[in-house]
Amino acid sequence: MTVSIGGMHIFRLDGYVVVPERPSFSLGSDTYESWSMLLPWTGAFSYEVDDVGGTRLSGEARFGDVVISPPGGTLRREMKEPTSFFFARFLTALRPPIGGSSLPDVDRLRANLSLLESHEDLDDDMVTAHVVNDVLIAVHGKRTHEDALVREATAFILENFASPDLSLGDLARMLGVSPSLLTRRFRDVRGVTPAHYLRRVRLRKARELLTGTDFTLQNIAEQCGYRSAFYLSRVFKKSTGQSPSGYRAETGSVRSLV
């Protein structure tokens, strides 16, 4: 089933299943071509989501949480206790937060999940599409909601990303919260962890310097918060699939990196 706004497809259901309580998952991990959503109804499970960019997000989910994996990402899960759950695959024009998120309205979630059991006069696909779309809108709205803690953390990262000693622990202490709380709130708003966001900022600066200056790779590394050209090269290639020298050549700015 497809949902459209202004002629643009924003959501399409690609498959779903409602699973009664059981002691374990049939598969411990899987990689899907579309987005996937895992909603615990009863019980609890641990999860790991590998983004296609190489980031691994992990945690534990129970009723009131949703775990989302992107196309091409790997979703691992293990039940901590017998669990019933709802699973769906879908395509969407939105960019929902990857990993685990808590839903802001558990009563609405409970009502939506109940629809999956008691909709005798309604089309199965229509009801399921409503449930998935409602969850997507909820987590998308929560992600974009202003969070003073996340604003402060973001500003600090942008001002201090060139420091090689910047760490999640230091950032959390500066803000007066635990690293786990900072990570959860940052991910809920921005869709990535603080560490992932810091790496994005550093690599964006590296790309700017590679294409806009004649600086050596060691100089660029130091301006981007990395202690050595070797480490910058390793992070850059892992994230972009090409070396800094290859990126510089491809963008038409072939310069010496020695």
Side-chain angles (χ1 to χ4, degrees):
M1 183 172 187
T2 302
V3 177
S4 303
I5 293 180
M8 180 181 73
H9 296 328
I10 64 167
F11 169 78
R12 191 184 79 196
L13 190 63
D14 200 30
Y16 58 90
V17 63
V18 179
V19 179
E21 193 169 270
R22 58 169 59 173
S24 63
F25 289 103
S26 298
L27 294 174
S29 67
D30 210 339
T31 302
Y32 306 99
E33 295 182 0
S34 54
W35 287 89
S36 63
M37 170 187 296
L38 189 56
L39 278 165
W41 204 327
T42 62
F45 61 86
S46 60
Y47 65 85
E48 288 184 349
V49 178
D50 287 350
D51 194 354
V52 290
T55 302
R56 175 169 294 181
L57 304 172
S58 62
E60 188 171 304
R62 57 182 63 248
F63 178 75
D65 299 324
V66 59
V67 178
I68 295 176
S69 179
T74 299
L75 172 60
R76 299 180 180 86
R77 57 268 182 166
E78 180 180 359
M79 289 186 185
K80 312 299 288 186
E81 57 190 77
T83 302
S84 60
F85 60 91
F86 168 71
F87 175 80
R89 289 179 288 106
F90 57 93
L91 301 175
T92 180
L94 299 176
R95 175 69 182 178
I98 297 167
S101 298
S102 56
L103 294 169
D105 190 341
V106 293
D107 290 334
R108 185 183 182 98
L109 173 64
R110 186 176 290 108
N112 277 336
L113 291 176
S114 296
L115 276 175
L116 296 172
E117 291 186 321
S118 56
H119 59 277
E120 297 178 0
D121 299 325
L122 300 174
D123 177 76
D124 285 349
D125 287 354
M126 181 179 70
V127 171
T128 306
H130 162 76
V131 172
V132 175
N133 203 45
D134 200 62
V135 170
L136 286 178
I137 291 171
V139 295
H140 186 74
K142 183 176 180 181
R143 174 183 177 179
T144 56
H145 178 67
E146 287 295 316
D147 184 312
L149 177 71
V150 175
R151 286 202 308 272
E152 194 171 352
T154 301
F156 190 84
I157 289 172
L158 292 174
E159 291 173 6
N160 298 277
F161 71 88
S163 170
D165 297 320
L166 180 60
S167 69
L168 174 62
D170 292 338
L171 180 58
R173 278 191 294 274
M174 188 274 295
L175 295 170
V177 297
S178 69
S180 60
L181 176 62
L182 174 60
T183 297
R184 178 174 60 79
R185 287 176 62 175
F186 199 98
R187 186 170 57 210
D188 282 348
V189 174
R190 294 200 163 272
V192 295
T193 65
H196 193 171
Y197 183 77
L198 173 60
R199 184 165 62 251
R200 281 183 179 178
V201 172
R202 285 173 167 170
L203 290 177
R204 183 172 67 234
K205 182 64 174 179
R207 288 193 293 270
E208 291 175 2
L209 294 173
L210 284 167
T211 58
T213 74
D214 291 310
F215 296 152
T216 65
L217 189 57
Q218 178 62 36
N219 190 300
I220 291 174
E222 292 169 357
Q223 292 190 54
C224 296
Y226 297 110
R227 298 187 187 278
S228 69
F230 172 78
Y231 190 70
L232 170 60
S233 295
R234 189 170 67 176
V235 175
F236 195 95
K237 187 167 186 178
K238 182 177 181 181
S239 298
T240 67
Q242 61 184 152
S243 67
S245 58
Y247 178 82
R248 178 173 264 177
E250 188 177 279
T251 54
S253 301
V254 183
R255 298 177 172 93
S256 172
L257 293 182
V258 297

